[in-house]
Amino acid sequence: MTDHLWLHFARHGAGVTHPIITRGEGVTIFDDRGKSYLDALSGLFTVQVGHGRTELAEVAARQASTLAYFPLWGYATPTAIELAERLAHYAPGEVNRVFFTTGGSEAVETAWKLAKQYFKLTGKPGKHKVISRSIAYHGTTHGALAITGLPSYKAPFEPVTPGGFRVPNTNFYRAPEPFAHDDKAFGRWAADRIAEAIEFEGPDTVAAVFLEPVQNAGGAIPPPPGYFGRVREICDAYDVLLVSDEVICAFGRIGSMFACSSDIGDFGYVPDMITCAKGMTSGYSPLGAMIATERLFEPFNDGSTVFPHGYTFGGHPVSAAVGLANLDIFEREGLNDRVRHHAPAFRATLEKLHDLPIVGDVRGEGYFYGIELVKDKATKETFSDTECERLLHGYLSPALFEAGLYCRADDRGDPVIQVAPPLISGQAEFDTIESILRSVLTEAWARL
Ligand SMILES: Cc1ncc(COP(=O)(O)O)c(C=O)c1O
């Protein structure tokens, strides 16, 4: 199979082989040998309603036989109209104008381009730079890559698009003194680094800040108390647009349609744009979106001004139909309530792993957790690059999979295990995740 297929973010050659996944059913995936695995990552934070929903396949087939394809380039389609209305209804405040894409990188790219053109149209043409957080992943196209805070992903492609600047993320486990024991003060400090970066770069040059509600890369990093409130204040003070990158967090991952409109924890803020994708269709067909406020749409609503941007497959009629049917399942099965209800038990089950010497931190929200691995619990010392290579790539990833658990061992920041199962999961799945992690992490520690 590796003769022609080039896998994404994957190593090839020198005897490396890759699993072949052939089927999915509920929370379970199967490989070509018929072996089953618990899908504890929802494919890639995507299959919210679980695998094998024939209802979604049937909706796709029906739409394809009615109107398989038409572009949104100056023409609308009924499914795109209806889905846009639905998304606007779920989004907070005046975030209600939907620009469809085919995925997350395109949504992020779209948000940056809109920010730049908006400011050009409204008398602040110098505003073009963007700020994001260290270790955060926002996609792979040149613009999205410039917003991504992972130097190793950018190095092969330097010089990437200029204009991307980084501030610290909110990993409280790694909070610097004197904030290590005060999450509120840490949140204030981290948010204020955004103001500092805007001042440093020049407020007249900064267009937008891109933040995930819970940052994925680095291991499900939640916002400290007060963080987003302070960020909103800063963005308002400097007229900088706040983009909530919810490619992972939207559609139930933390128990709400959009994380920024959630009333749990310290979420609940009104961004200027939301970017989303993945869970909108639960992966049954590709789709993404950038959703903007009335204010941002206004200058394009004069009968002549155009946003010269689009994608052949953006808002594809089949994907939009699948998106609507997927959101119907959310409503019918109460998936957001389900996540909220079960999240404390999921967290408590994962927290049992704290008794292992290699587990430094368990963090996250909803059905989205990161387990940070450390070499020394007392000092929080992390692993060297060589140890990470041996531990994550050499042992953990294959061992977890072999033990029947599909999840992710990630060393884009400090090493973490990421888990984000389909939203239909319950205690049985939480227990399986915990028990496989326990045995494989115990063995990993013994091998160190
Ligand atoms: C926060 C965030 N933004 C953007 C992207 C890019 O999305 P895509 O892979 O659909 O282009 C991802 C992908 O995982 C993501 O997690």
Side-chain angles (χ1 to χ4, degrees):
M1 83 96 187
T2 45
D3 283 354
H4 300 288
L5 182 61
W6 197 331
L7 299 182
H8 301 205
F9 287 101
R11 299 174 181 196
H12 289 273
V16 173
T17 58
H18 305 101
I20 302 175
I21 304 303
T22 54
R23 196 164 67 82
E25 188 60 49
V27 298
T28 309
I29 50 170
F30 300 85
D31 68 13
D32 58 341
R33 298 169 300 160
K35 185 172 175 202
S36 67
Y37 306 83
L38 172 60
D39 179 0
L41 204 64
S42 306
L44 199 55
F45 310 95
T46 294
V47 190
Q48 316 296 70
V49 300
H51 298 271
R53 297 265 194 173
T54 46
E55 170 184 351
L56 295 181
E58 282 160 11
V59 164
R62 264 201 307 279
Q63 180 59 42
S65 20
T66 311
L67 177 69
Y69 173 70
F70 212 76
L72 294 181
W73 298 44
Y75 295 81
T77 58
T79 52
I81 294 170
E82 198 184 331
L83 183 57
E85 231 172 86
R86 190 88 168 259
L87 296 177
H89 164 74
Y90 294 137
E94 293 197 343
V95 186
N96 56 23
R97 186 59 67 160
V98 181
F99 189 101
F100 284 116
T101 64
T102 67
S105 298
E106 289 176 1
V108 167
E109 200 76 37
T110 301
W112 190 1
K113 287 178 78 174
L114 174 60
K116 288 167 85 173
Q117 193 181 355
Y118 169 79
F119 282 121
K120 283 193 169 54
L121 291 171
T122 54
K124 295 186 176 174
K127 278 183 168 291
H128 68 284
K129 296 176 188 169
V130 288
I131 291 168
S132 57
R133 297 183 291 200
S134 64
I135 321 291
Y137 179 86
H138 293 282
T140 50
T141 55
H142 261 88
L145 187 61
I147 303 174
T148 287
L150 293 157
S152 66
Y153 280 13
K154 298 207 269 220
F157 313 110
E158 293 289 1
V160 297
T161 307
F165 297 89
R166 234 61 57 204
V167 291
N169 63 45
T170 60
N171 185 355
F172 185 52
Y173 182 66
R174 299 276 172 201
E177 291 295 351
F179 312 112
H181 302 286
D182 184 345
D183 58 354
K184 210 161 173 208
F186 174 57
R188 173 93 189 185
W189 172 83
D192 283 347
R193 302 286 65 74
I194 294 174
E196 185 178 64
I198 295 171
E199 283 287 355
F200 192 78
E201 287 305 317
D204 292 346
T205 70
V206 180
V209 178
F210 283 72
L211 304 173
E212 288 168 271
V214 176
Q215 180 177 318
N216 175 43
I221 303 171
Y227 179 76
F228 274 110
R230 178 72 186 137
V231 169
R232 184 67 266 183
E233 276 173 16
I234 292 165
C235 288
D236 287 343
Y238 291 105
D239 197 12
V240 166
L241 305 176
L242 173 56
V243 182
S244 192
D245 185 355
E246 306 209 7
V247 169
I248 287 180
C249 290
F251 309 112
R253 186 51 56 201
I254 67 154
S256 53
M257 283 302 189
F258 290 112
C260 62
S261 53
S262 170
D263 55 6
I264 47 168
D266 207 60
F267 300 92
Y269 53 94
V270 182
D272 299 284
M273 286 181 254
I274 296 173
T275 48
C276 56
K278 295 185 184 276
M280 196 182 338
T281 61
S282 285
Y284 282 74
S285 195
L287 187 61
M290 181 284 299
I291 316 175
T293 52
E294 276 300 312
R295 170 197 166 202
L296 297 184
F297 181 67
E298 239 278 308
F300 297 89
N301 203 20
D302 62 0
S304 60
T305 306
V306 169
F307 182 34
H309 179 69
Y311 302 97
T312 298
F313 290 147
H316 193 287
V318 172
S319 299
V322 170
L324 285 163
N326 177 55
L327 296 174
D328 286 344
I329 294 176
F330 266 75
E331 303 279 4
R332 197 172 67 230
E333 299 184 7
L335 289 182
N336 285 317
D337 286 345
R338 180 186 172 82
V339 168
R340 284 161 187 247
H341 178 73
H342 288 289
F346 190 13
R347 182 193 293 274
T349 306
L350 292 176
E351 279 179 346
K352 288 195 218 161
L353 296 167
H354 265 307
D355 63 354
L356 301 180
I358 196 171
V359 171
D361 194 27
V362 176
R363 54 177 176 257
E365 195 68 53
Y367 272 26
F368 184 25
Y369 292 94
I371 297 152
E372 183 164 336
L373 307 179
V374 287
K375 196 160 142 183
D376 186 324
K377 233 171 155 116
T379 62
K380 300 185 183 176
E381 184 188 349
T382 193
F383 297 96
S384 68
D385 287 351
T386 323
E387 287 164 334
C388 267
E389 174 66 25
R390 206 154 42 87
L391 180 71
L392 294 188
H393 297 286
Y395 176 69
L396 273 178
S397 289
L400 288 166
F401 193 65
E402 198 47 42
L405 187 68
Y406 168 67
C407 62
R408 182 159 168 186
D410 187 9
D411 63 350
R412 291 179 293 182
D414 293 319
V416 290
I417 306 278
Q418 296 167 317
V419 288
L423 312 185
I424 53 170
S425 305
Q427 192 58 48
E429 285 74 34
F430 307 155
D431 287 339
T432 303
I433 292 171
E434 194 271 343
S435 98
I436 296 178
L437 284 177
R438 174 173 295 280
S439 67
V440 173
L441 288 173
T442 302
E443 175 63 21
W445 184 254
R447 284 166 173 247
L448 270 171

PDB file of all heavy atoms in Angstrom, residues 332-357:
ATOM      1  N   ARG A 332     -31.255  15.508  18.865  1.00  0.00           N
ATOM      2  CA  ARG A 332     -32.127  14.378  19.206  1.00  0.00           C
ATOM      3  C   ARG A 332     -31.554  13.569  20.353  1.00  0.00           C
ATOM      4  O   ARG A 332     -32.272  13.134  21.243  1.00  0.00           O
ATOM      5  CB  ARG A 332     -32.265  13.502  17.955  1.00  0.00           C
ATOM      6  CG  ARG A 332     -33.428  12.541  18.010  1.00  0.00           C
ATOM      7  CD  ARG A 332     -33.629  11.857  16.665  1.00  0.00           C
ATOM      8  NE  ARG A 332     -32.542  10.966  16.313  1.00  0.00           N
ATOM      9  CZ  ARG A 332     -31.904  10.986  15.134  1.00  0.00           C
ATOM     10  NH1 ARG A 332     -32.241  11.858  14.200  1.00  0.00           N
ATOM     11  NH2 ARG A 332     -30.929  10.140  14.900  1.00  0.00           N
ATOM     12  N   GLU A 333     -30.235  13.374  20.359  1.00  0.00           N
ATOM     13  CA  GLU A 333     -29.621  12.522  21.379  1.00  0.00           C
ATOM     14  C   GLU A 333     -29.038  13.324  22.543  1.00  0.00           C
ATOM     15  O   GLU A 333     -28.422  12.754  23.436  1.00  0.00           O
ATOM     16  CB  GLU A 333     -28.545  11.639  20.722  1.00  0.00           C
ATOM     17  CG  GLU A 333     -29.143  10.734  19.664  1.00  0.00           C
ATOM     18  CD  GLU A 333     -28.152   9.760  19.038  1.00  0.00           C
ATOM     19  OE1 GLU A 333     -27.000   9.672  19.512  1.00  0.00           O
ATOM     20  OE2 GLU A 333     -28.545   9.094  18.064  1.00  0.00           O
ATOM     21  N   GLY A 334     -29.224  14.630  22.511  1.00  0.00           N
ATOM     22  CA  GLY A 334     -28.757  15.473  23.617  1.00  0.00           C
ATOM     23  C   GLY A 334     -27.266  15.318  23.873  1.00  0.00           C
ATOM     24  O   GLY A 334     -26.824  15.174  25.023  1.00  0.00           O
ATOM     25  N   LEU A 335     -26.469  15.330  22.812  1.00  0.00           N
ATOM     26  CA  LEU A 335     -25.042  15.009  22.982  1.00  0.00           C
ATOM     27  C   LEU A 335     -24.286  16.034  23.827  1.00  0.00           C
ATOM     28  O   LEU A 335     -23.383  15.678  24.579  1.00  0.00           O
ATOM     29  CB  LEU A 335     -24.375  14.826  21.618  1.00  0.00           C
ATOM     30  CG  LEU A 335     -24.786  13.549  20.860  1.00  0.00           C
ATOM     31  CD1 LEU A 335     -24.038  13.434  19.539  1.00  0.00           C
ATOM     32  CD2 LEU A 335     -24.527  12.299  21.708  1.00  0.00           C
ATOM     33  N   ASN A 336     -24.651  17.300  23.696  1.00  0.00           N
ATOM     34  CA  ASN A 336     -23.946  18.296  24.528  1.00  0.00           C
ATOM     35  C   ASN A 336     -24.231  18.058  26.016  1.00  0.00           C
ATOM     36  O   ASN A 336     -23.306  18.108  26.835  1.00  0.00           O
ATOM     37  CB  ASN A 336     -24.354  19.712  24.114  1.00  0.00           C
ATOM     38  CG  ASN A 336     -23.714  20.116  22.810  1.00  0.00           C
ATOM     39  OD1 ASN A 336     -22.529  19.869  22.588  1.00  0.00           O
ATOM     40  ND2 ASN A 336     -24.491  20.715  21.921  1.00  0.00           N
ATOM     41  N   ASP A 337     -25.490  17.785  26.328  1.00  0.00           N
ATOM     42  CA  ASP A 337     -25.834  17.501  27.734  1.00  0.00           C
ATOM     43  C   ASP A 337     -25.127  16.236  28.207  1.00  0.00           C
ATOM     44  O   ASP A 337     -24.679  16.141  29.345  1.00  0.00           O
ATOM     45  CB  ASP A 337     -27.350  17.313  27.888  1.00  0.00           C
ATOM     46  CG  ASP A 337     -28.073  18.647  27.782  1.00  0.00           C
ATOM     47  OD1 ASP A 337     -27.399  19.697  27.875  1.00  0.00           O
ATOM     48  OD2 ASP A 337     -29.302  18.641  27.593  1.00  0.00           O
ATOM     49  N   ARG A 338     -25.035  15.290  27.298  1.00  0.00           N
ATOM     50  CA  ARG A 338     -24.382  14.026  27.642  1.00  0.00           C
ATOM     51  C   ARG A 338     -22.908  14.269  28.028  1.00  0.00           C
ATOM     52  O   ARG A 338     -22.418  13.751  29.031  1.00  0.00           O
ATOM     53  CB  ARG A 338     -24.460  13.082  26.439  1.00  0.00           C
ATOM     54  CG  ARG A 338     -23.831  11.764  26.675  1.00  0.00           C
ATOM     55  CD  ARG A 338     -23.781  10.887  25.431  1.00  0.00           C
ATOM     56  NE  ARG A 338     -22.982   9.728  25.743  1.00  0.00           N
ATOM     57  CZ  ARG A 338     -23.427   8.663  26.384  1.00  0.00           C
ATOM     58  NH1 ARG A 338     -24.683   8.591  26.734  1.00  0.00           N
ATOM     59  NH2 ARG A 338     -22.618   7.669  26.685  1.00  0.00           N
ATOM     60  N   VAL A 339     -22.241  15.093  27.229  1.00  0.00           N
ATOM     61  CA  VAL A 339     -20.835  15.395  27.516  1.00  0.00           C
ATOM     62  C   VAL A 339     -20.717  16.090  28.873  1.00  0.00           C
ATOM     63  O   VAL A 339     -19.877  15.732  29.712  1.00  0.00           O
ATOM     64  CB  VAL A 339     -20.223  16.257  26.393  1.00  0.00           C
ATOM     65  CG1 VAL A 339     -18.868  16.821  26.802  1.00  0.00           C
ATOM     66  CG2 VAL A 339     -20.099  15.442  25.108  1.00  0.00           C
ATOM     67  N   ARG A 340     -21.575  17.070  29.103  1.00  0.00           N
ATOM     68  CA  ARG A 340     -21.511  17.780  30.391  1.00  0.00           C
ATOM     69  C   ARG A 340     -21.760  16.841  31.560  1.00  0.00           C
ATOM     70  O   ARG A 340     -21.118  16.930  32.596  1.00  0.00           O
ATOM     71  CB  ARG A 340     -22.591  18.860  30.438  1.00  0.00           C
ATOM     72  CG  ARG A 340     -22.252  20.063  29.628  1.00  0.00           C
ATOM     73  CD  ARG A 340     -23.528  20.819  29.370  1.00  0.00           C
ATOM     74  NE  ARG A 340     -23.284  21.904  28.467  1.00  0.00           N
ATOM     75  CZ  ARG A 340     -23.380  23.178  28.810  1.00  0.00           C
ATOM     76  NH1 ARG A 340     -23.712  23.521  30.028  1.00  0.00           N
ATOM     77  NH2 ARG A 340     -23.134  24.105  27.936  1.00  0.00           N
ATOM     78  N   HIS A 341     -22.716  15.934  31.355  1.00  0.00           N
ATOM     79  CA  HIS A 341     -23.086  15.031  32.431  1.00  0.00           C
ATOM     80  C   HIS A 341     -21.946  14.054  32.762  1.00  0.00           C
ATOM     81  O   HIS A 341     -21.661  13.783  33.920  1.00  0.00           O
ATOM     82  CB  HIS A 341     -24.356  14.273  32.014  1.00  0.00           C
ATOM     83  CG  HIS A 341     -24.816  13.286  33.017  1.00  0.00           C
ATOM     84  ND1 HIS A 341     -25.405  13.662  34.202  1.00  0.00           N
ATOM     85  CD2 HIS A 341     -24.731  11.927  33.035  1.00  0.00           C
ATOM     86  CE1 HIS A 341     -25.681  12.582  34.902  1.00  0.00           C
ATOM     87  NE2 HIS A 341     -25.281  11.513  34.224  1.00  0.00           N
ATOM     88  N   HIS A 342     -21.309  13.526  31.698  1.00  0.00           N
ATOM     89  CA  HIS A 342     -20.297  12.483  31.913  1.00  0.00           C
ATOM     90  C   HIS A 342     -18.881  13.024  32.110  1.00  0.00           C
ATOM     91  O   HIS A 342     -17.997  12.280  32.537  1.00  0.00           O
ATOM     92  CB  HIS A 342     -20.282  11.508  30.737  1.00  0.00           C
ATOM     93  CG  HIS A 342     -21.481  10.602  30.694  1.00  0.00           C
ATOM     94  ND1 HIS A 342     -21.678   9.577  31.589  1.00  0.00           N
ATOM     95  CD2 HIS A 342     -22.555  10.575  29.876  1.00  0.00           C
ATOM     96  CE1 HIS A 342     -22.805   8.953  31.321  1.00  0.00           C
ATOM     97  NE2 HIS A 342     -23.367   9.547  30.274  1.00  0.00           N
ATOM     98  N   ALA A 343     -18.666  14.295  31.774  1.00  0.00           N
ATOM     99  CA  ALA A 343     -17.292  14.824  31.823  1.00  0.00           C
ATOM    100  C   ALA A 343     -16.637  14.673  33.204  1.00  0.00           C
ATOM    101  O   ALA A 343     -15.465  14.268  33.278  1.00  0.00           O
ATOM    102  CB  ALA A 343     -17.262  16.277  31.366  1.00  0.00           C
ATOM    103  N   PRO A 344     -17.344  14.957  34.298  1.00  0.00           N
ATOM    104  CA  PRO A 344     -16.676  14.806  35.605  1.00  0.00           C
ATOM    105  C   PRO A 344     -16.209  13.373  35.856  1.00  0.00           C
ATOM    106  O   PRO A 344     -15.119  13.152  36.394  1.00  0.00           O
ATOM    107  CB  PRO A 344     -17.765  15.220  36.616  1.00  0.00           C
ATOM    108  CG  PRO A 344     -18.690  16.110  35.834  1.00  0.00           C
ATOM    109  CD  PRO A 344     -18.695  15.560  34.438  1.00  0.00           C
ATOM    110  N   ALA A 345     -17.021  12.388  35.418  1.00  0.00           N
ATOM    111  CA  ALA A 345     -16.617  10.985  35.614  1.00  0.00           C
ATOM    112  C   ALA A 345     -15.425  10.645  34.721  1.00  0.00           C
ATOM    113  O   ALA A 345     -14.526   9.895  35.127  1.00  0.00           O
ATOM    114  CB  ALA A 345     -17.791  10.062  35.304  1.00  0.00           C
ATOM    115  N   PHE A 346     -15.422  11.196  33.513  1.00  0.00           N
ATOM    116  CA  PHE A 346     -14.291  10.945  32.595  1.00  0.00           C
ATOM    117  C   PHE A 346     -13.005  11.493  33.219  1.00  0.00           C
ATOM    118  O   PHE A 346     -11.984  10.816  33.306  1.00  0.00           O
ATOM    119  CB  PHE A 346     -14.586  11.619  31.244  1.00  0.00           C
ATOM    120  CG  PHE A 346     -13.638  11.254  30.137  1.00  0.00           C
ATOM    121  CD1 PHE A 346     -12.757  10.179  30.244  1.00  0.00           C
ATOM    122  CD2 PHE A 346     -13.634  11.996  28.951  1.00  0.00           C
ATOM    123  CE1 PHE A 346     -11.887   9.841  29.204  1.00  0.00           C
ATOM    124  CE2 PHE A 346     -12.764  11.674  27.911  1.00  0.00           C
ATOM    125  CZ  PHE A 346     -11.894  10.596  28.036  1.00  0.00           C
ATOM    126  N   ARG A 347     -13.097  12.735  33.691  1.00  0.00           N
ATOM    127  CA  ARG A 347     -11.929  13.355  34.311  1.00  0.00           C
ATOM    128  C   ARG A 347     -11.460  12.535  35.521  1.00  0.00           C
ATOM    129  O   ARG A 347     -10.268  12.242  35.661  1.00  0.00           O
ATOM    130  CB  ARG A 347     -12.276  14.783  34.747  1.00  0.00           C
ATOM    131  CG  ARG A 347     -11.107  15.536  35.372  1.00  0.00           C
ATOM    132  CD  ARG A 347     -11.583  16.799  36.065  1.00  0.00           C
ATOM    133  NE  ARG A 347     -12.090  17.787  35.128  1.00  0.00           N
ATOM    134  CZ  ARG A 347     -11.353  18.688  34.487  1.00  0.00           C
ATOM    135  NH1 ARG A 347     -10.053  18.716  34.697  1.00  0.00           N
ATOM    136  NH2 ARG A 347     -11.903  19.551  33.670  1.00  0.00           N
ATOM    137  N   ALA A 348     -12.428  12.162  36.372  1.00  0.00           N
ATOM    138  CA  ALA A 348     -12.068  11.420  37.592  1.00  0.00           C
ATOM    139  C   ALA A 348     -11.413  10.089  37.229  1.00  0.00           C
ATOM    140  O   ALA A 348     -10.461   9.649  37.893  1.00  0.00           O
ATOM    141  CB  ALA A 348     -13.322  11.193  38.439  1.00  0.00           C
ATOM    142  N   THR A 349     -11.896   9.448  36.169  1.00  0.00           N
ATOM    143  CA  THR A 349     -11.319   8.161  35.762  1.00  0.00           C
ATOM    144  C   THR A 349      -9.876   8.358  35.297  1.00  0.00           C
ATOM    145  O   THR A 349      -8.969   7.607  35.672  1.00  0.00           O
ATOM    146  CB  THR A 349     -12.166   7.538  34.623  1.00  0.00           C
ATOM    147  OG1 THR A 349     -13.525   7.479  35.062  1.00  0.00           O
ATOM    148  CG2 THR A 349     -11.681   6.145  34.278  1.00  0.00           C
ATOM    149  N   LEU A 350      -9.658   9.392  34.492  1.00  0.00           N
ATOM    150  CA  LEU A 350      -8.286   9.655  34.007  1.00  0.00           C
ATOM    151  C   LEU A 350      -7.375  10.082  35.159  1.00  0.00           C
ATOM    152  O   LEU A 350      -6.182   9.760  35.175  1.00  0.00           O
ATOM    153  CB  LEU A 350      -8.301  10.731  32.922  1.00  0.00           C
ATOM    154  CG  LEU A 350      -8.968  10.356  31.598  1.00  0.00           C
ATOM    155  CD1 LEU A 350      -8.996  11.562  30.664  1.00  0.00           C
ATOM    156  CD2 LEU A 350      -8.243   9.192  30.924  1.00  0.00           C
ATOM    157  N   GLU A 351      -7.954  10.800  36.126  1.00  0.00           N
ATOM    158  CA  GLU A 351      -7.122  11.287  37.240  1.00  0.00           C
ATOM    159  C   GLU A 351      -6.583  10.160  38.108  1.00  0.00           C
ATOM    160  O   GLU A 351      -5.617  10.348  38.844  1.00  0.00           O
ATOM    161  CB  GLU A 351      -7.896  12.320  38.061  1.00  0.00           C
ATOM    162  CG  GLU A 351      -7.845  13.688  37.380  1.00  0.00           C
ATOM    163  CD  GLU A 351      -8.609  14.775  38.102  1.00  0.00           C
ATOM    164  OE1 GLU A 351      -9.411  14.447  39.003  1.00  0.00           O
ATOM    165  OE2 GLU A 351      -8.401  15.954  37.742  1.00  0.00           O
ATOM    166  N   LYS A 352      -7.194   8.988  38.009  1.00  0.00           N
ATOM    167  CA  LYS A 352      -6.657   7.835  38.744  1.00  0.00           C
ATOM    168  C   LYS A 352      -5.211   7.563  38.323  1.00  0.00           C
ATOM    169  O   LYS A 352      -4.418   6.999  39.055  1.00  0.00           O
ATOM    170  CB  LYS A 352      -7.498   6.592  38.442  1.00  0.00           C
ATOM    171  CG  LYS A 352      -8.872   6.588  39.071  1.00  0.00           C
ATOM    172  CD  LYS A 352      -9.397   5.162  38.998  1.00  0.00           C
ATOM    173  CE  LYS A 352     -10.877   5.140  38.696  1.00  0.00           C
ATOM    174  NZ  LYS A 352     -11.342   3.852  38.190  1.00  0.00           N
ATOM    175  N   LEU A 353      -4.880   7.965  37.085  1.00  0.00           N
ATOM    176  CA  LEU A 353      -3.536   7.706  36.564  1.00  0.00           C
ATOM    177  C   LEU A 353      -2.458   8.502  37.293  1.00  0.00           C
ATOM    178  O   LEU A 353      -1.264   8.253  37.122  1.00  0.00           O
ATOM    179  CB  LEU A 353      -3.483   8.027  35.061  1.00  0.00           C
ATOM    180  CG  LEU A 353      -4.374   7.153  34.164  1.00  0.00           C
ATOM    181  CD1 LEU A 353      -4.497   7.761  32.778  1.00  0.00           C
ATOM    182  CD2 LEU A 353      -3.803   5.734  34.081  1.00  0.00           C
ATOM    183  N   HIS A 354      -2.895   9.458  38.114  1.00  0.00           N
ATOM    184  CA  HIS A 354      -1.938  10.284  38.866  1.00  0.00           C
ATOM    185  C   HIS A 354      -1.020   9.449  39.752  1.00  0.00           C
ATOM    186  O   HIS A 354       0.061   9.897  40.128  1.00  0.00           O
ATOM    187  CB  HIS A 354      -2.684  11.296  39.739  1.00  0.00           C
ATOM    188  CG  HIS A 354      -2.844  12.636  39.072  1.00  0.00           C
ATOM    189  ND1 HIS A 354      -1.783  13.345  38.550  1.00  0.00           N
ATOM    190  CD2 HIS A 354      -3.943  13.390  38.841  1.00  0.00           C
ATOM    191  CE1 HIS A 354      -2.223  14.480  38.033  1.00  0.00           C
ATOM    192  NE2 HIS A 354      -3.527  14.533  38.177  1.00  0.00           N
ATOM    193  N   ASP A 355      -1.447   8.224  40.107  1.00  0.00           N
ATOM    194  CA  ASP A 355      -0.570   7.430  40.972  1.00  0.00           C
ATOM    195  C   ASP A 355       0.636   6.861  40.216  1.00  0.00           C
ATOM    196  O   ASP A 355       1.553   6.320  40.813  1.00  0.00           O
ATOM    197  CB  ASP A 355      -1.362   6.318  41.689  1.00  0.00           C
ATOM    198  CG  ASP A 355      -1.960   5.314  40.711  1.00  0.00           C
ATOM    199  OD1 ASP A 355      -1.860   5.542  39.485  1.00  0.00           O
ATOM    200  OD2 ASP A 355      -2.519   4.301  41.168  1.00  0.00           O
ATOM    201  N   LEU A 356       0.653   6.995  38.888  1.00  0.00           N
ATOM    202  CA  LEU A 356       1.814   6.511  38.127  1.00  0.00           C
ATOM    203  C   LEU A 356       2.929   7.559  38.165  1.00  0.00           C
ATOM    204  O   LEU A 356       2.655   8.750  38.008  1.00  0.00           O
ATOM    205  CB  LEU A 356       1.428   6.238  36.667  1.00  0.00           C
ATOM    206  CG  LEU A 356       0.317   5.213  36.420  1.00  0.00           C
ATOM    207  CD1 LEU A 356       0.053   5.073  34.926  1.00  0.00           C
ATOM    208  CD2 LEU A 356       0.698   3.868  37.019  1.00  0.00           C
ATOM    209  N   PRO A 357       4.174   7.126  38.333  1.00  0.00           N
ATOM    210  CA  PRO A 357       5.273   8.102  38.451  1.00  0.00           C
ATOM    211  C   PRO A 357       5.480   8.938  37.180  1.00  0.00           C
ATOM    212  O   PRO A 357       6.012  10.036  37.239  1.00  0.00           O
ATOM    213  CB  PRO A 357       6.500   7.230  38.725  1.00  0.00           C
ATOM    214  CG  PRO A 357       6.109   5.834  38.365  1.00  0.00           C
ATOM    215  CD  PRO A 357       4.627   5.734  38.506  1.00  0.00           C
TER     216      PRO A 357
END
